[in-house]
Amino acid sequence: MESNGTIRIAIQKSGRLSEGSLALLHQMGLEFETYQDRLFARCRNMPIDLIFLRDDDIPEYVQDGVADLGVVGSNVLDERRSEVARLLPLDFGYCSLSIAAPEREAYRSVSDLDGKRIATSYPQMLRRYLKQQGVSVKTVLLKGCVEIAPALKVADAICDLVATGSTLRTNRLRVLDTVSQCQAILIGQKRPTSKKKRDIVERLLIRAKGVQEARKFKYIMFNAPIEALEPIKKLVPGCKSPTVIPLAEPGFIAVHSMVLEEMFWEVVEKIRECGGRDILVSPVEKFIR
Ligand code: PRP
Ligand code: ZN
């Protein structure tokens, strides 16, 4: 696939990261259609093509220059140590790489698996981890459907990704230990590409960061007595300072600011203690610093 300056972005075709990846790209202002098992989508408003692949193949595609950007789980990168640039952790697609065994077996920890067989698509990470634990096992390398290996008697346990935990439950497996934590990450090429491409990648990165920053904040508006302004400024400092507007009713102000999502309820309770009322909150769609 030779390129004419069009950027190719690789995302997971169907799986844990698909929905989050598509949502991110839409929030970054890319306009495109996709449905069911499409393998490709062309953006209407930017020189960008999306390609839908197995997540495990995405690092190689980016490394080899077939795709310019990709969204993958950090687990895949840690396993393969591909030559790609880790551009931005994306704060979704959280999961863990865990060792799990059949519920009915009496294994209590990984040390009980010494000498047993573990099926996995992550042999390197598993090997490194078990070495630290001083446990030696036989790894059975599988590319997919790892969870059915114990039922097929191909392995005694598995080492695979766990997100919601429903795959394990369906297959009557339970976690014994966790090898590492993972999340989705935006990757790009290490080697230099054309200026035209670099410019688009740079723009996309600013947008992706803007989307991510926005998710951390809420926009908050409320009314308060003017005497409460000083403590309120401390509660909702915003970027520089909150916006303060006098109300038609003398002695009252309206305050507009940003609040970190994780502090939200705490801050709202304190605003109320200061006399703040009629608190309106809305999501922040984009936030470019
Ligand atoms: C991983 C893993 C399980 C699933 C676990 O697959 O192999 O199938 O996610 O998620 P759960 O705990 O929510 O059930 P992935 O999306 O990486 O697809 P792949 O196995 O086809 O690479
Ligand atoms: Zn996978």
Side-chain angles (χ1 to χ4, degrees):
M1 282 205 268
E2 255 318 295
S3 150
N4 48 5
T6 297
I7 293 283
R8 289 203 198 94
I9 306 179
I11 66 171
Q12 188 183 27
K13 190 157 82 74
S14 60
R16 289 175 309 107
L17 303 180
S18 309
E19 219 179 287
S21 306
L22 289 173
L24 172 72
L25 295 174
H26 279 300
Q27 285 167 331
M28 283 162 64
L30 273 56
E31 292 173 10
F32 59 89
E33 304 304 318
T34 184
Y35 56 93
Q36 280 175 357
D37 294 329
R38 300 300 104 166
L39 300 175
F40 168 89
R42 172 150 288 169
C43 287
R44 291 193 295 277
N45 61 339
M46 284 180 94
I48 294 173
D49 288 343
L50 307 181
I51 44 181
F52 302 96
L53 302 168
R54 279 204 60 209
D55 63 339
D56 311 59
D57 296 333
I58 291 175
E60 270 74 16
Y61 276 84
V62 173
Q63 176 182 292
D64 299 345
V66 178
D68 302 279
L69 293 172
V71 177
V72 283
S74 52
N75 49 289
V76 178
L77 294 183
D78 293 340
E79 176 68 22
R80 300 180 175 227
R81 301 198 160 162
S82 315
E83 284 295 305
V84 297
R86 296 177 182 232
L87 300 177
L88 186 68
L90 293 172
D91 204 24
F92 72 87
Y94 284 100
C95 64
S96 58
L97 180 65
S98 295
I99 297 171
E103 282 167 0
R104 63 189 149 72
E105 299 288 347
Y107 306 124
R108 272 162 314 168
S109 69
V110 276
S111 49
D112 294 337
L113 294 174
D114 204 64
K116 306 273 180 198
R117 299 160 303 164
I118 302 187
T120 189
S121 313
Y122 300 90
Q124 303 300 340
M125 287 164 84
L126 176 64
R127 221 166 279 155
R128 283 200 290 272
Y129 180 74
L130 291 179
K131 202 171 163 200
Q132 284 169 15
Q133 306 296 311
V135 177
S136 102
V137 303
K138 183 177 179 305
T139 50
V140 179
L141 183 61
L142 295 180
K143 289 253 170 178
C145 299
V146 172
E147 59 278 1
I148 60 168
L152 296 177
K153 308 268 185 261
V154 179
D156 304 291
I158 66 164
C159 173
D160 199 14
L161 300 181
V162 182
T164 61
S166 63
T167 302
L168 290 191
R169 184 160 302 186
T170 310
N171 292 279
R172 299 186 166 276
L173 299 166
R174 69 187 160 86
V175 171
L176 290 182
D177 203 354
T178 290
V179 173
S180 75
Q181 303 289 346
C182 328
Q183 65 166 298
I185 179 165
L186 183 69
I187 57 170
Q189 288 180 20
K190 265 194 172 166
R191 31 171 226 171
T193 50
S194 69
K195 162 119 180 46
K196 200 168 156 195
K197 278 192 171 191
R198 277 206 312 275
D199 287 348
I200 302 176
V201 167
E202 193 53 39
R203 276 171 68 199
L204 291 174
L205 201 53
I206 292 173
R207 292 183 183 199
K209 283 180 185 159
V211 170
Q212 250 192 299
E213 282 287 306
R215 285 193 193 138
K216 291 186 205 151
F217 293 95
K218 291 271 179 267
Y219 194 76
I220 187 166
M221 296 160 269
F222 55 92
N223 297 331
I226 196 155
E227 312 83 75
L229 182 57
E230 282 313 310
I232 282 172
K233 266 165 57 182
K234 292 199 184 81
L235 282 174
V236 286
C239 296
K240 278 203 175 58
S241 73
T243 305
V244 177
I245 311 158
L247 288 192
E249 168 97 19
F252 282 89
I253 49 172
V255 180
H256 291 209
S257 195
M258 308 260 282
V259 185
L260 266 178
E261 168 86 77
E262 62 196 33
M263 311 265 294
F264 178 74
W265 285 110
E266 218 173 293
V267 170
V268 164
E269 281 155 18
K270 290 196 175 131
I271 288 171
R272 282 187 56 81
E273 281 168 24
C274 293
R277 289 293 180 275
D278 314 320
I279 304 168
L280 257 173
V281 180
S282 55
V284 177
E285 197 180 307
K286 312 280 186 314
F287 179 26
I288 293 93
R289 285 190 193 256

